[in-house]
Amino acid sequence: MISLELLMRVCGIEAVVLILAVALVCGHALWLWREQRWSWPQLIRGWAILAATLDGPVPPPADLKWLGSLPVRLQIRLFTSIMVSLTGLGRERITRVARIIGLLGRVETLCGSPLWWRRLQGGRLFTLFGGGWEYMPTLLRDPHPLVRAQAAEWAVEHPHLGIINSLLTLLDDGHALCRVKAQDSLLRMGRVVKEPLHRYLISHPDNGVEAALRVAVGLPDQRFLPVAIHLCQDASPGVRILATELMGAVGGRKAVDTLIRLLNDADPEVRAAAARALGKLGHWPAATTLAALLQDRHFEVRWEAGLALRALGAPGILLLRRALVLTGAGR
């Protein structure tokens, strides 16, 4: 049995821990209250200064000195709160003020910090303010995935070959968020990505190919067609489906011939994707082959074949009606 003395000692320790925890929570709440009470008037004055900057020249020296005297955390809060809704000339003017008061220099320090959350904050600020060429490309290879993802978001406004190649490397990243951010940035960059993406697809037949194919589907180009046709023989059904979608986006005689062959693929999802692509291309000579898929044992394949026939217009609709009559569903 537990002695009374030991029990009293344990209860005493728990009471002390509870008191310390309550004191810590109350102290933190008091600090937040005082911080908010002090910072709110500063933010209001800062917003007024920056708002005036949007319509006029740089603030007078006294206002710049006051902005520079604010704690860094408050400067960051002030500038980010107004930058998120700005574009073009307004963003440039606010960024100029941030540079004058030395805030961008502090952002550079954040990007070089050994602490990942500080590097993340620096990356977010450079994404808002622009710039950061000396630091952000390095963060695309940062050890922490959140920092790499933030750097990928920054890269959208910097569609240069080296940055694009770094984003393509992220398509094979082990963290899903990095892959998604890299795909999104590449798609938003547009046509400048096509040539580097073509080279990547040729030189990386295995690593990151699915993510690269998703980007290619969003940026279709005839240069991708040979790679798509080759990847239709890949062992992975997922790769074959994406290659099928790419051929449906690119089009052309070779794409149509390959898609017709894929209607006999062993995987039902690939057959369904091939039917969907043929319908998208409007290749009506494939109507008879698509009609045969109305008897497929997988519902998804039958569904996509029916939609594709309808998309082909009169020839496809005629075959759909004939299939309804033959099955007795048209009575």
Side-chain angles (χ1 to χ4, degrees):
M1 294 180 63
I2 301 176
S3 66
L4 181 60
E5 181 182 355
L6 179 59
L7 183 60
M8 293 296 294
R9 185 177 298 178
V10 171
C11 291
I13 294 173
E14 290 182 348
V16 171
V17 171
L18 180 60
I19 292 171
L20 290 175
V22 171
L24 181 62
V25 171
C26 292
H28 184 63
L30 179 61
W31 179 84
L32 287 176
W33 175 76
R34 293 185 63 184
E35 174 73 9
Q36 184 69 16
R37 186 177 179 182
W38 174 84
S39 64
W40 189 247
Q42 316 301 318
L43 289 172
I44 292 175
R45 180 180 175 184
W47 285 328
I49 294 172
L50 295 181
T53 304
L54 295 175
D55 299 320
V58 175
D63 287 339
L64 289 174
K65 182 177 181 181
W66 180 83
L67 287 172
S69 68
L70 294 174
V72 175
R73 67 180 184 278
L74 196 59
Q75 290 182 15
I76 292 174
R77 183 179 172 187
L78 172 63
F79 278 85
T80 54
S81 64
I82 198 169
M83 287 286 286
V84 292
S85 59
L86 294 178
T87 57
L89 183 59
R91 179 181 289 253
E92 291 177 7
R93 287 176 173 173
I94 299 300
T95 300
R96 181 175 55 183
V97 174
R99 184 177 295 110
I100 292 173
I101 68 172
L103 179 57
L104 291 187
R106 296 184 179 96
V107 174
E108 293 173 357
T109 302
L110 289 173
C111 289
S113 172
L115 303 175
W116 71 265
W117 56 87
R118 291 189 178 275
R119 297 196 302 275
L120 176 61
Q121 185 182 38
R124 286 174 175 167
L125 291 171
F126 269 133
T127 303
L128 280 175
F129 289 119
W133 266 101
E134 300 84 356
Y135 301 92
M136 296 304 292
T138 303
L139 295 187
L140 285 166
R141 302 183 299 274
D142 193 88
H144 199 280
L146 291 180
V147 180
R148 296 196 301 275
Q150 182 60 54
E153 184 177 340
W154 166 89
V156 175
E157 302 296 331
H158 305 82
H160 302 278
L161 182 59
I163 299 297
I164 293 172
N165 287 331
S166 295
L167 287 175
L168 290 170
T169 302
L170 284 181
L171 295 178
D172 189 34
D173 195 275
H175 199 279
L177 179 62
C178 296
R179 297 195 299 273
V180 171
K181 285 288 187 179
Q183 291 175 50
D184 179 68
S185 295
L186 290 167
L187 286 169
R188 290 168 63 187
M189 285 179 176
R191 59 187 304 172
V192 69
V193 172
K194 292 184 177 181
E195 181 57 35
L197 178 59
H198 178 235
R199 292 196 298 267
Y200 180 88
L201 284 168
I202 293 174
S203 59
H204 294 74
D206 300 317
N207 298 332
V209 68
E210 291 194 28
L213 283 173
R214 290 189 181 94
V215 177
V217 170
L219 300 170
D221 191 279
Q222 285 291 331
R223 284 172 287 189
F224 302 149
L225 187 57
V227 178
I229 292 174
H230 172 72
L231 291 175
C232 284
Q233 305 172 29
D234 194 272
S236 169
V239 172
R240 298 202 301 276
I241 290 170
L242 288 168
T244 299
E245 293 179 7
L246 179 55
M247 287 188 291
V250 172
R253 184 65 202 179
K254 292 182 178 179
V256 168
D257 292 341
T258 305
L259 289 170
I260 291 175
R261 289 198 300 271
L262 287 173
L263 293 176
N264 297 313
D265 193 274
D267 191 278
E269 293 187 11
V270 177
R271 297 198 298 274
R276 183 166 55 249
L278 286 169
K280 181 179 180 180
L281 292 174
H283 186 68
W284 66 265
T288 304
T289 308
L290 286 168
L293 291 183
L294 296 174
Q295 305 298 320
D296 196 280
R297 57 196 181 96
H298 291 273
F299 172 77
E300 183 183 2
V301 179
R302 299 195 300 272
W303 177 264
E304 291 294 347
L307 292 177
L309 286 169
R310 188 177 67 174
L312 296 180
I317 293 174
L318 179 62
L319 290 171
L320 276 174
R321 289 176 176 172
R322 181 180 299 175
L324 287 171
V325 171
L326 292 176
T327 57
R331 297 173 185 172

